[in-house]
Amino acid sequence: MKKKFNLIDALVILIVIGVVAFIGIKLSNGLVAKPENLQKFRYTFHVEEMPDYVKDYIKENETASVAENNDILGVVTGKTFGDAEIYSENADGQIVKSTKEGHSSADIVIEGEALQTPSGVKITKGVYGVGHSMAMRIGNAKVYGKISGIELVK
């Protein structure tokens, strides 16, 4: 016996497609960084150790992006450099901090727009929180560090 495709079958298929599309839109709506939902944030990015010559390439007003996925965090608005922070175990088994000649640490301040979420700030492709480790591109420099602070700019 051959079954015919009829109007009721077509309506059922259209309703199922509509319900799936509606649910998909509702679930993703809160995750999309719409321009009207964006807020300005200030990030502090801490680098424990980098070669001294990299400091010359980290400039204010340079764009800072996540190396992994090219998410743009914002622009550099401040920077401070100090002695490199090297952590190692001494003869007594204790972790001690030392420095390394020709290397520096850095605290880089970046300001940009993002969407606040319960687990951090969402840019385009990722959600970032304090303690997030990553490689970052700043102008022609690439550094590895952690987000050490995120604050809303009022």
Side-chain angles (χ1 to χ4, degrees), residues 48-74:
E48 291 180 354
E49 174 196 359
M50 66 180 176
D52 282 340
Y53 60 83
V54 176
K55 293 190 299 188
D56 297 335
Y57 291 91
I58 299 174
K59 299 177 181 154
E60 291 191 16
N61 299 316
E62 287 280 5
T63 300
S65 63
V66 179
E68 176 185 14
N69 60 18
N70 294 323
D71 255 353
I72 296 175
L73 289 175

Side-chain angles (χ1 to χ4, degrees), residues 19-107:
V19 167
V20 168
F22 178 78
I23 290 171
I25 289 169
K26 284 297 180 186
L27 288 176
S28 69
N29 235 0
L31 302 176
V32 176
K34 296 179 182 176
E36 63 269 14
N37 296 335
L38 296 179
Q39 296 174 292
K40 190 171 185 176
F41 288 91
R42 181 177 300 120
Y43 312 90
T44 303
F45 188 71
H46 182 71
V47 179
E48 291 180 354
E49 174 196 359
M50 66 180 176
D52 282 340
Y53 60 83
V54 176
K55 293 190 299 188
D56 297 335
Y57 291 91
I58 299 174
K59 299 177 181 154
E60 291 191 16
N61 299 316
E62 287 280 5
T63 300
S65 63
V66 179
E68 176 185 14
N69 60 18
N70 294 323
D71 255 353
I72 296 175
L73 289 175
V75 297
V76 175
T77 59
K79 58 188 179 170
T80 56
F81 299 106
D83 292 334
E85 300 167 5
I86 310 296
Y87 296 92
S88 57
E89 194 173 313
N90 67 12
D92 297 328
Q94 297 174 319
I95 302 296
V96 294
K97 179 179 168 183
S98 59
T99 63
K100 185 176 182 182
E101 192 170 328
H103 288 71
S104 298
S105 66
D107 284 302

